[in-house]
Amino acid sequence: MSMMDKLKSMLKGHEAKADKGIEKAGDMVDEKPQGKFQGQVDTAQDKLREQYGGGQEKDQPPQD
């Protein structure tokens, strides 16, 4: 089992917490260069959300 598979299995059922962590980590990374790479950070956050956070965009309401 690869590391990615282990992460996915650990985060399964905790998508909201994963989304929150992805958002917080992205904000910390974006803070250092004062928003210079905001587009790239946002793209990375979106891709991580697709993999680990249930694939919801930050502007979309949660799906039931």
Side-chain angles (χ1 to χ4, degrees):
M1 184 184 265
S2 72
M3 182 64 134
M4 299 300 272
D5 292 335
K6 288 180 183 180
L7 282 172
K8 285 182 183 180
S9 68
M10 286 173 42
L11 293 173
K12 190 170 187 163
H14 303 284
E15 288 84 7
K17 288 185 180 184
D19 280 339
K20 190 175 182 179
I22 291 167
E23 185 68 28
K24 189 173 183 178
D27 290 346
M28 280 180 41
V29 169
D30 199 31
E31 186 178 298
K32 287 288 183 183
Q34 300 172 347
K36 184 176 179 182
F37 302 106
Q38 184 176 6
Q40 289 90 340
V41 171
D42 290 343
T43 300
Q45 286 175 312
D46 291 341
K47 295 209 181 272
L48 283 169
R49 278 190 196 96
E50 288 174 10
Q51 289 288 319
Y52 303 110
Q56 294 178 5
E57 297 291 323
K58 65 181 178 181
D59 296 333
Q60 291 180 346
Q63 297 175 353
D64 291 18

